[in-house]
Amino acid sequence: MSSNAYSCEQVKHLCALFKLLAEPNRLNILCNLGMECRPVSDIVAATGLSQTNVSFHLRALREAGLVRPERRGAFIYYCLSDSKLLSLLDDMWNWVEQRQMDGTLTDE
Amino acid sequence: MSSNAYSCEQVKHLCALFKLLAEPNRLNILCNLGMECRPVSDIVAATGLSQTNVSFHLRALREAGLVRPERRGAFIYYCLSDSKLLSLLDDMWNWVEQRQMDGTLTDE
DNA sequence: AACACATATGAGTAGTAACGCATATAGTTG
DNA sequence: CAACTATATGCGTTACTACTCATATGTGTT
C-alpha cells in the first residue's frame, strides 16, 4: 500500500482531478451524463444552467479528458471518457454517506 | 448502481469533500499523515509550510471531520479520522495513473 | 506568576475561478 | 447564399479561498 508515499507531482495530478470534481455544477453534469452520450442542449435543459456556463464546464472536463465530444450533425454529444469514474464517485459517495451515519461529521 | 441518480444534496456533499482534497497542500498533509498521528510542528516541518498555513488547512480538515485533534501535553496530534480515505485516494490515484498511461490526457 | 513553546484565530490581501453578456464559429435547411 | 440552430469563446465582474502578519489562547516549566 503506497498510501502515505505520494510524490509531489502525484499530489498535483490528483488535485487537478479533485478540483474538477469540486464544482457542484460540474459534478452534476458528470453524474447526469452517466453512461450515455448527450448533446449540450440536453445538459443545459437537465441542469438549468446557462448554455455559456455548461460550455464553460464542459470545456474544463474535456481538456482534462474526463469527457469526450462527438459531433453528430449540428449537435455535439458529450460522453464520459471512462465509466470507471462513475464507480469511483460511487465509492466516494458511499464513504461520505457512511461517515454521515456514523456521526463523524456531526461534531461541528 | 446509483451512479447517475445523485440528488442535488448528494452532489453538494461530495463536492464539499472534493473541495477539501483539491488543495495540494491539504492533500499533501493528508497523505503525509498516513496512518500515524502527528503534531502540527511535524507537519509544518514535513511540508515546509508556515505554521499559520498548516493550522489553516488542518482547521478545514478538522471541521469536515477528516482529521481528529488529540492533545498530548503542549502538542496537538492530528490523526486521520478514517484510514479508508487513504485507500479511496489510492483508488483515485491508480485511476489517474492508468489514464495517463492510456494517453487519455495527452490529447491536449 | 512569569516565561517559553505549541497551536489557533482575526484581519487584510492577492490570485483564481465561476458566471453572464456579447459575439464568433460550425452545421443544417431553405 | 441567407437564415437559423447548436456550441464555443473573449472579456469583464464578482465571489471565494489560500496565504501572511500580528496576536490570542493554551500548556508545561522554573
Side-chain angles (χ1 to χ4, degrees):
Chain A
M1 192 167 307
S2 59
S3 301
N4 49 357
Y6 288 104
S7 76
C8 215
E9 198 181 342
Q10 280 178 318
V11 165
K12 280 190 213 149
H13 274 264
L14 233 98
C15 274
L17 172 61
F18 285 138
K19 203 165 279 190
L20 285 168
L21 302 175
E23 217 290 320
N25 291 329
R26 213 147 42 204
L27 188 56
N28 204 24
I29 287 174
L30 283 178
C31 294
N32 272 310
L33 214 51
M35 307 292 204
E36 298 179 49
C37 294
R38 304 177 68 185
V40 179
S41 48
D42 264 32
I43 302 174
V44 169
T47 59
L49 300 174
S50 72
Q51 180 265 317
T52 303
N53 199 12
V54 170
S55 274
F56 169 73
H57 287 306
L58 283 176
R59 177 188 198 171
L61 296 171
R62 178 191 355 124
E63 288 181 345
L66 293 188
V67 299
R68 176 173 34 87
E70 203 173 285
R71 179 134 240 157
R72 299 188 197 170
F75 295 79
I76 296 183
Y77 281 66
Y78 276 87
C79 333
L80 270 188
S81 299
D82 185 352
S83 61
K84 179 126 204 326
L85 177 58
L86 289 179
S87 59
L88 285 170
L89 289 179
D90 236 32
D91 291 345
M92 286 296 235
W93 167 251
N94 287 332
W95 183 69
V96 168
E97 201 178 34
Q98 185 62 44
R99 277 161 44 79
Q100 273 169 185
M101 290 195 298
D102 292 353
T104 320
L105 277 168
T106 58
D107 52 3
E108 182 57 27
Chain B
M1 193 165 307
S2 60
S3 301
N4 50 354
Y6 287 102
S7 76
C8 214
E9 199 181 341
Q10 280 176 318
V11 166
K12 278 190 214 151
H13 273 265
L14 228 86
C15 273
L17 172 61
F18 286 138
K19 206 166 276 189
L20 285 168
L21 301 175
E23 216 292 319
N25 292 328
R26 213 149 41 206
L27 188 55
N28 204 25
I29 288 173
L30 283 177
C31 294
N32 272 309
L33 215 50
M35 306 293 203
E36 297 178 50
C37 295
R38 305 177 68 185
V40 179
S41 48
D42 265 32
I43 302 173
V44 169
T47 58
L49 301 173
S50 72
Q51 178 265 317
T52 303
N53 198 13
V54 169
S55 274
F56 169 74
H57 287 305
L58 283 175
R59 179 188 196 170
L61 296 171
R62 179 191 353 124
E63 287 180 346
L66 293 188
V67 299
R68 176 173 34 86
E70 204 173 283
R71 177 133 242 158
R72 300 187 195 170
F75 294 79
I76 297 183
Y77 281 66
Y78 275 87
C79 333
L80 270 188
S81 300
D82 184 352
S83 60
K84 180 127 201 327
L85 177 57
L86 290 180
S87 60
L88 285 170
L89 290 179
D90 236 33
D91 291 344
M92 287 296 235
W93 167 251
N94 288 331
W95 183 69
V96 168
E97 201 177 33
Q98 185 62 45
R99 278 162 42 79
Q100 274 169 184
M101 290 194 298
D102 291 353
T104 319
L105 277 167
T106 57
D107 52 2
E108 184 56 28

